Amino acid sequence: MSGFVRKNAFQWAVAVGALALCAGLFFAAYALAEVPMPAIASGLTYNGSAQEGVSEAEGYTLSGQVDATNAGEYTVTATLREGRHWPDGSIEPKRVTWEIDKASLDVSAFTVDSTFTGEEQSLVSTQEVPEGVSVSYGVNGVESERPTATNAGSYEVTMTVEGGGNYKDATIVCEAKIAPAPIAAPEPVSGLVADGKTSQVGVPEGDGYTVEDGSAVEPGEYVAVVTPDANHVWEDGSSSPLQIAWSVGAPEVPWGNLVTLNYDSAVDLPVSLSAYGVLVATADGTVVAQKNPYTRCEIASTTKLLTCWLASEYLDDDSQVSLSSYDTQIAEPFDSPENQPWHTASAAKIEAQCMLTSSNPYAHALARYVARARYGASGTDWGDMTNALRAMDERATEIGMSNTSFVSPSGLFGPGNGVFTSGFSSFSGGMKNNQSTANDMMLLTLNAAAADAPISGQKLGSNDFTCIKTGTNERESMLAKANVNGETYYIVLLAADHTSATGGTDVREIDHIIDWLETR
């Protein structure tokens, strides 16, 4: 009995040990089949291509959307294969999520830098935005359908992005530039010569820059300041103003340019005359005979030789000259309507009539037009007349008339002798008339003749001499030219007796001078 029991006990012990071993082997086999959780991709951002969010692995199968292109959140189910379990010991299918983030739209390529062309330019490129994305723009805080600009400068471009499904909404501020265009600095003009009335352009205006002091009427050395505008720079990239030297040369004067007379061989005039001052000279300024050459006299309308000379120089022959009421007013009561038959006529016609009939209103009109051509319009007739006297004084100085004073371009009397405007009278400074000397009037006559200035041209006297210009007030004056024995002589006769209403003393006394020249 006891042996039976012992045998069965042994057998049970073996059996129990075998079962324990089998159980250990069973559990050991299942522990090796543990499967890690599926790996989920992170940091995925939309790039326009398909991207995998969960990867396949041994031990489970995947269902659902394991890869995608568009931004969004996706779900995948992982199911264990037979004989597997998850790390937590479970064997049920696992649901995992993964995502693709929206991308930020790269707008760096949307703005463009360019160079000024003078035309409107786009500040953004023409490339298309991705599908589903809309971009609206603003320039310097102002909404714009398509940002554009013309002028050089930096522009703040605002882009408002509505990204749709794949891009982030954003407001982005960036800079677009239009650079100034390079230009060449202007070259000064060479060989300029003053003509006394035209503004000579030494540094011309041009596109892209401004010029100060680039033109002048008078001869001289000048410096122009040239500055590029905001849309341009110089070729070296600088934008500072440049100083450009230029010049206007003095003209070769279209007259004899005599400033002194030669008295070396002059004799006292042996002819008895009533004239205060007399001078006889040849065209080169050689004085033949003299009488009081430096005595100042009223010169009356012989003044018109200078007035018409300046007019012929500063006014084109066919330019139109019109009388004003001022011209006529200051001629009263010394104006004869028949002497100025046209209200408006060409400068050449007015000059000829002024010299022939000694029209005072025409002299005033010509003087005003000379002043405008010489200095620009003053805005008033009186201002123009004042400038005309300035021009007369300047020409007198140029030709050496150092003992002459002008109060009128016609030779009319000043205050107390006729009806003048208050302004004109005040300028005359109390003088009764233009005053000069035989010496100065000979310089005027010879220089004006060399310049082919208008003259009266009448043939007068028994010697058929040429009258250049007469002048009459209380006394008579005349400028004349005579050809004697093959030689041309110029005669200045100032302030001879005025013995009759029709005059004639000036003619007779010049005839006496010519008679003497024929016998000398």
Side-chain angles (χ1 to χ4, degrees):
M1 182 68 173
S2 60
F4 174 79
V5 173
R6 285 196 300 273
K7 182 178 179 180
N8 286 338
F10 175 77
Q11 291 174 335
W12 281 107
V14 172
V16 171
L19 287 172
L21 176 62
C22 289
L25 292 173
F26 174 81
F27 286 111
Y30 271 84
L32 291 175
E34 181 179 304
V35 175
M37 291 293 292
I40 301 173
S42 62
L44 300 179
T45 301
Y46 173 79
N47 62 13
S49 300
Q51 301 181 77
E52 187 176 71
V54 182
S55 301
E56 294 276 1
E58 186 178 357
Y60 59 82
T61 60
L62 297 176
S63 61
Q65 194 157 356
V66 297
D67 60 22
T69 299
N70 292 326
E73 186 177 275
Y74 300 94
T75 300
V76 175
T77 300
T79 302
L80 289 170
R81 296 181 186 277
E82 186 176 354
R84 304 291 192 268
H85 67 88
W86 302 116
D88 63 1
S90 65
I91 59 173
E92 293 83 5
K94 297 287 189 183
R95 289 169 59 89
V96 295
T97 58
W98 63 282
E99 65 179 353
I100 299 176
D101 290 335
K102 292 183 177 182
S104 297
L105 184 64
D106 180 12
V107 296
S108 61
F110 280 69
T111 55
V112 294
D113 291 341
S114 56
T115 300
F116 175 78
T117 63
E119 302 292 333
E120 189 176 65
Q121 302 184 71
S122 177
L123 299 176
V124 295
S125 68
T126 57
Q127 72 180 63
E128 296 294 330
V129 297
E131 184 178 358
V133 176
S134 65
V135 180
S136 58
Y137 300 95
V139 179
N140 294 340
V142 179
E143 291 185 4
S144 174
E145 181 176 347
R146 193 74 175 174
T148 60
T150 301
N151 293 325
S154 294
Y155 297 89
E156 183 182 84
V157 178
T158 302
M159 300 183 184
T160 302
V161 178
E162 293 182 3
N166 291 317
Y167 290 89
K168 296 176 181 178
D169 293 346
T171 298
I172 302 159
V173 179
C174 50
E175 184 182 50
K177 294 180 180 179
I178 298 179
I183 53 173
E187 295 290 335
V189 179
S190 60
L192 297 176
V193 177
D195 63 9
K197 57 183 178 180
T198 306
S199 184
Q200 305 295 322
V201 178
V203 179
E205 297 279 355
D207 291 336
Y209 58 86
T210 59
V211 179
E212 296 181 26
D213 300 324
S215 63
V217 174
E218 300 295 337
E221 301 291 328
Y222 300 94
V223 176
V225 178
V226 185
T227 307
D229 62 28
N231 291 317
H232 296 87
V233 293
W234 303 125
E235 289 179 322
D236 63 1
S238 66
S239 58
S240 299
L242 299 179
Q243 293 187 334
I244 300 177
W246 63 283
S247 62
V248 178
E252 294 183 9
V253 295
W255 59 82
N257 203 25
L258 285 171
V259 294
T260 58
L261 301 176
N262 181 358
Y263 285 85
D264 290 348
S265 59
V267 300
D268 291 335
L269 187 67
V271 180
S272 178
L273 303 173
S274 67
Y276 283 5
V278 179
L279 215 57
V280 181
T282 55
D284 64 358
T286 300
V287 177
V288 175
Q290 64 179 10
K291 177 185 177 182
N292 300 327
Y294 300 109
T295 298
R296 281 169 63 92
C297 308
E298 293 182 358
I299 58 176
S301 286
T302 56
T303 301
K304 293 183 175 75
L305 175 60
L306 178 54
T307 301
C308 289
W309 177 20
L310 291 173
S312 68
E313 182 177 324
Y314 282 95
L315 307 178
D316 294 333
D317 285 349
D318 57 357
S319 60
Q320 298 296 293
V321 175
S322 298
L323 286 173
S324 73
S325 59
Y326 179 81
D327 300 326
T328 304
Q329 178 187 5
I330 62 175
E332 294 175 352
F334 304 104
D335 66 324
S336 301
E338 64 273 12
N339 289 343
Q340 47 275 344
W342 317 288
H343 179 270
T344 301
S346 68
K349 199 171 183 178
I350 297 291
E351 291 159 15
Q353 183 73 2
C354 182
M355 292 297 287
L356 181 63
T357 68
S358 208
S359 167
N360 294 312
Y362 278 171
H364 301 154
L366 288 170
R368 289 189 300 103
Y369 279 79
V370 166
R372 292 175 188 174
R374 179 74 174 82
Y375 307 108
S378 70
T380 65
D381 286 348
W382 167 241
D384 291 340
M385 190 70 76
T386 302
N387 282 337
L389 295 175
R390 173 185 168 192
M392 295 171 70
D393 286 336
E394 288 176 351
R395 178 54 53 84
T397 299
E398 289 172 352
I399 61 178
M401 297 175 69
S402 59
N403 200 14
T404 300
S405 55
F406 296 107
V407 298
S408 156
S410 63
L412 283 178
F413 300 108
N417 298 275
V419 180
F420 286 73
T421 64
S422 59
F424 195 82
S425 297
S426 65
F427 184 80
S428 67
M431 293 186 63
K432 293 171 66 178
N433 202 320
N434 298 333
Q435 293 192 352
S436 188
T437 66
N439 179 87
D440 284 9
M441 292 304 289
M442 181 60 77
L443 287 170
L444 170 60
T445 301
L446 296 180
N447 281 290
D452 198 25
I455 65 173
S456 168
Q458 294 169 290
K459 295 295 184 178
L460 300 174
S462 60
N463 288 298
D464 203 28
F465 63 85
T466 300
C467 173
I468 295 175
K469 187 70 189 80
T470 60
T472 303
N473 44 35
E474 289 92 345
R475 303 184 72 82
E476 298 176 6
S477 299
M478 182 177 288
L479 312 175
K481 180 173 70 171
N483 189 285
V484 179
N485 300 327
E487 183 76 46
T488 298
Y489 295 92
Y490 290 86
I491 302 170
V492 172
L493 184 91
L494 297 182
D497 288 342
H498 188 37
T499 57
S500 70
T502 58
T505 303
D506 50 0
V507 176
R508 289 191 298 273
E509 293 194 354
I510 287 181
D511 264 338
H512 293 333
I513 295 170
I514 294 173
D515 291 341
W516 169 74
L517 286 171
E518 288 178 341
T519 60
R520 66 186 283 267

